[in-house]
Amino acid sequence: MEIVDKTGTCNLDYNRVCKNGFCFDEVKKDFDWYYTGQVNIAHETIDRHANSWRKNKIALYWEGPDNEHEKYTFMELKTLTDKFANVLKMAGVKKGDRVFTYLPRIPELYISAISIAKVGAIFAPLFGGFRAEAVRDRMNDSGAKVVITTPEMKKIGIEEIQSEVPSLEKIILADVPESYKFNDNELSFDAEMTYAPEECNMEWCSLEDPVIMHYTSGTTGKSKGVVHVHNAMIGHYITTKWVQDLRDDDVYWCTADPGWVTGTSYGIFGPWLTGASQVVCSGRFSPDAWYSAIDKYKVTVWYTAPTALRMLMKAGDEVIKNYSLRSLRYITSVGEPLNPEVIRWGMKVYGHPIHENYWMTETGSNMIANFYGLPLKIGSMGKPFPGIEAAVVDDSGKVLPPGVPGNLVIKPGWPSMMRSIWNNPEKYREYFRIPGWYVTGDSAFVDNDGYFWFTGRVDDVIKTSGERVGPFEVESALLEHPAVAEAGVIGKPDPLYGNIIKAFISLKSGYEGSEELKREISGFVKTKLAAHAFPREIEFKAGLPKTRSGKIMRRVLKAQELGQPLGDLATLDDE
Ligand code: ATP
Ligand code: MG
């Protein structure tokens, strides 16, 4: 077993925070509401720091797509969000209303998030890459009252469906060109801000009032509208501090878009709850753009995703030589399983291991992680964060012995757990189908040391020759072959084996797909895993179908393979 022991390099204060799950209660004392009884996540995220020694600290470094850049202190963000909260009030927004953002990663998105919370409304961020239908479905599902967008994006995603969203009362437009003609139901972000009063009465809420609504990635089917409450701040805060290991002198960069939960919990609220400076880059992904951002802002803590890391790895080590990257201190990853090969590569080129963590939209914050002090086992998701109780159980709820894969479940009651699925209590109840547990829908096993290992989505587990094979272990073995850049593995029905393993592979540049290479790769995996756990069929593809948040959509590969309907493709990245 490969273990990277980083014990002692991080700042988790075990005694104070993590004694026997005592942690969540203990960190409540870091929030103002603990003393005042006045609750609002926006206050704790921005205003608390603006009233403290951090007031002139940079909260946001913003890097635009064409080398524009701006920066904002906590004090400046307090003023801007107070003003915009007043604009929202004037636009008729009331406590509990759903306010959507449909924006690129411009400062207005971050200002909106905080301001929406300030008026007690529900912040519902939509990924900027959605097309009209996906926008319409989500707005209708939740009865959106206001949307904040730009004229450009309005044209792509809102214009044609606007009449089909009867609840939508106002559109607030940012980044408006001078020639733009406003419709009756439209307001200008900038113009309203010029006149808005600076004094704002914060809407004090209860810890259980909803404040964020996130639609899931749609990897396994139709997205669900997951509702989070102000109390989630406890989870955001504690895990940003001790899973992301964020300290006051860090410059932090979470590469996720707030259209996905990582971009909100760890790209807006978490880091600011800890008072850290964060970087937002709104341009497109490219190895050069990303590495120069790290150097330019001297990023110390970097939270990204396996798909990005695989692309950086695919781009080769040459490009890295043009950058220093010396500021990096801690790297974390989420969203999909992180293949061991990528971690080994990361240690080679960045000089640091990549700390994988596991969670989902519904859990609101990191659940299982390679957090501080924990010797990192390469390929494992780590251990449950202190205060989180996780287990692997069979369908009846019986805890399975080490090494046996089954349902990954979590004991309900952690602070950032979703409180409902919007408008869909039935769906919500399904998460609790195994009595006493929250059911993640993922399959994992625990090893003898209590580390959790991801094997796949429960629905993706392949039964072949009477054995259960998780797609992830096959994909990771495939990635160790020098020709393989990305791999997606499915079970394909077969009269002899029940199912055979079929692998879809995109090759690194410089490799040509051939029958011989297929045989070689297949044999390569056979020597790595069990004799039954190798792909009997391989198909080369230029790229694999992915969600817009970068997850491989195995259900699409499978449906294509079997000639079945492709299902809900709203979140498919068609570029
Ligand atoms: P949908 O629920 O709409 O099908 P989704 O499950 O992909 O989409 P998210 O909530 O964005 O939506 O993703 C959570 C899922 O991502 C987890 O259930 C898990 O399958 C996967 N995941 C996240 N982190 C990890 C990780 N470290 N290792 C393995 N899988 C992970
Ligand atoms: Mg899910």
Side-chain angles (χ1 to χ4, degrees):
M1 189 58 51
E2 285 165 272
I3 296 182
V4 186
D5 194 345
K6 298 285 281 185
T7 311
T9 61
C10 306
N11 66 351
L12 188 65
D13 176 350
Y14 267 121
N15 286 334
R16 179 178 158 235
V17 178
C18 293
K19 238 190 248 163
N20 305 327
F22 187 53
C23 50
F24 296 128
D25 279 340
E26 183 60 26
V27 294
K28 288 177 186 167
K29 295 175 189 160
D30 290 2
F31 298 109
D32 279 351
W33 58 257
Y34 183 82
Y35 306 95
T36 62
Q38 295 182 309
V39 174
N40 194 310
I41 193 171
H43 171 82
E44 307 294 340
T45 307
I46 297 296
D47 295 16
R48 179 164 54 98
H49 306 301
N51 300 336
S52 80
W53 63 269
R54 292 196 188 91
K55 66 175 178 234
N56 295 324
K57 181 175 175 178
I58 303 294
L60 174 64
Y61 292 101
W62 179 76
E63 176 85 11
D66 304 310
N67 281 329
E68 316 108 283
H69 44 88
E70 289 170 15
K71 52 188 177 187
Y72 300 83
T73 63
F74 280 104
M75 193 63 220
E76 286 166 337
L77 282 185
K78 177 186 183 301
T79 309
L80 288 166
T81 54
D82 277 348
K83 288 176 90 173
F84 193 59
N86 285 327
V87 173
L88 290 171
K89 280 186 196 171
M90 217 197 51
V93 176
K94 302 224 158 48
K95 188 171 179 185
D97 285 342
R98 276 74 63 211
V99 179
F100 277 68
T101 53
Y102 178 53
L103 287 168
R105 274 178 265 178
I106 54 178
E108 286 87 340
L109 169 54
Y110 298 81
I111 293 165
S112 298
I114 305 296
S115 309
I116 293 166
K118 281 194 171 176
V119 300
I122 303 177
F123 167 53
L126 284 179
F127 178 58
F130 279 147
R131 302 293 188 275
E133 253 175 62
V135 173
R136 178 197 60 200
D137 290 353
R138 284 162 181 73
M139 287 204 197
N140 272 337
D141 181 58
S142 61
K145 186 170 188 173
V146 171
V147 62
I148 303 150
T149 185
T150 63
E152 212 174 313
M153 295 196 54
K154 185 191 124 189
K155 213 176 193 167
I156 304 168
I158 298 182
E159 226 147 68
E160 64 183 271
I161 53 95
Q162 203 175 323
S163 61
E164 299 164 43
V165 186
S167 62
L168 189 64
E169 291 177 13
K170 286 257 158 34
I171 300 179
I172 301 178
L173 293 164
D175 241 352
V176 185
E178 260 175 48
S179 58
Y180 187 82
K181 297 241 167 342
F182 283 87
N183 294 328
D184 287 349
N185 65 342
E186 293 176 352
L187 297 171
S188 154
F189 190 104
D190 289 340
E192 298 300 326
M193 284 293 268
T194 326
Y195 304 110
E198 276 194 22
E199 294 285 299
C200 163
N201 289 326
M202 178 86 67
E203 182 76 33
W204 298 114
C205 298
S206 106
L207 285 167
E208 289 302 312
D209 282 335
V211 63
I212 301 166
M213 180 152 78
H214 254 296
Y215 283 88
T216 57
S217 290
T219 315
T220 57
K222 202 172 172 54
S223 285
K224 300 150 284 235
V226 170
V227 179
H228 288 290
V229 298
H230 286 269
N231 198 44
M233 74 175 96
I234 299 172
H236 298 158
Y237 171 77
I238 194 170
T239 52
T240 306
K241 231 168 148 69
W242 291 303
V243 176
Q244 309 304 325
D245 189 31
L246 212 55
R247 311 171 196 184
D248 241 313
D249 53 358
D250 278 314
V251 177
Y252 169 80
W253 182 26
C254 169
T255 62
D257 188 284
W260 316 113
V261 73
T262 306
T264 300
S265 293
Y266 298 99
I268 302 179
F269 294 104
W272 284 340
L273 283 163
T274 73
S277 302
Q278 61 171 326
V279 175
V280 167
C281 293
S282 66
R284 289 194 140 260
F285 169 86
S286 84
D288 280 304
W290 277 32
Y291 289 146
S292 45
I294 290 173
D295 276 359
K296 177 171 178 187
Y297 294 102
K298 301 205 164 44
V299 172
T300 56
V301 179
W302 186 32
Y303 194 15
T304 187
T307 181
L309 290 162
R310 284 192 298 258
M311 280 195 273
L312 291 169
M313 189 166 100
K314 191 174 176 179
D317 300 357
E318 263 321 290
V319 54
I320 298 172
K321 296 192 178 129
N322 301 327
Y323 301 93
S324 145
L325 309 183
R326 262 215 307 273
S327 56
L328 285 175
R329 170 178 83 69
Y330 205 74
I331 309 175
T332 54
S333 160
V334 75
E336 281 190 299
L338 184 61
N339 317 83
E341 190 54 23
V342 181
I343 303 186
R344 282 186 218 113
W345 171 81
M347 285 197 289
K348 188 180 83 188
V349 300
Y350 304 132
H352 301 283
I354 300 159
H355 297 79
E356 178 171 7
N357 47 75
Y358 167 90
W359 60 298
M360 53 207 297
T361 312
E362 295 89 332
T363 67
S365 63
N366 305 148
M367 293 285 105
I368 296 174
N370 290 286
F371 53 88
Y372 148 74
L374 194 66
L376 186 153
K377 277 197 194 185
I378 292 182
S380 146
M381 303 189 287
K383 288 190 181 185
F385 185 75
I388 298 295
E389 188 182 340
V392 172
V393 302
D394 68 10
D395 289 343
S396 71
K398 196 171 94 283
V399 175
L400 294 168
V404 180
N407 298 293
L408 174 55
V409 294
I410 303 165
K411 185 88 10 186
W414 67 93
S416 62
M417 190 176 103
M418 67 166 167
R419 296 304 198 263
S420 62
I421 297 285
W422 191 267
N423 243 342
N424 200 341
E426 216 167 289
K427 188 91 212 168
Y428 185 74
R429 275 195 298 275
E430 278 175 28
Y431 287 92
F432 302 93
R433 57 187 175 268
I434 300 179
W437 294 104
Y438 164 84
V439 182
T440 63
D442 291 315
S443 161
F445 67 87
V446 187
D447 69 14
N448 284 319
D449 301 325
Y451 284 73
F452 283 66
W453 299 74
F454 182 84
T455 52
R457 309 269 180 157
V458 168
D459 294 342
D460 289 342
V461 171
I462 303 163
K463 289 178 205 91
T464 179
S465 315
E467 305 283 346
R468 294 165 66 86
V469 177
F472 173 53
E473 60 176 344
V474 183
E475 289 163 9
S476 280
L478 284 163
L479 240 69
E480 287 183 34
H481 189 282
V484 177
E486 267 191 324
V489 160
I490 62 161
K492 179 177 173 183
D494 178 89
L496 189 58
Y497 298 101
N499 289 281
I500 58 158
I501 297 172
K502 171 152 191 182
F504 297 86
I505 290 173
S506 82
L507 293 171
K508 286 192 188 143
S509 54
Y511 287 91
E512 281 283 335
S514 67
E515 287 308 311
E516 200 191 327
L517 185 59
K518 284 184 188 173
R519 273 193 299 277
E520 185 192 312
I521 293 175
S522 195
F524 175 82
V525 175
K526 204 171 185 173
T527 61
K528 297 246 154 211
L529 301 174
H532 61 272
F534 71 97
R536 285 178 196 274
E537 262 185 44
I538 288 180
E539 186 176 323
F540 295 121
K541 276 176 126 35
L544 300 178
K546 288 198 208 94
T547 62
R548 292 176 182 278
S549 57
K551 296 162 191 265
I552 297 170
M553 288 171 105
R554 295 175 192 79
R555 69 174 162 100
V556 172
L557 289 169
K558 187 154 185 167
Q560 271 171 342
E561 181 66 29
L562 305 183
Q564 290 168 348
L566 297 182
D568 187 299
L569 295 182
T571 63
L572 177 75
D573 188 345
D574 45 18
E575 280 153 28

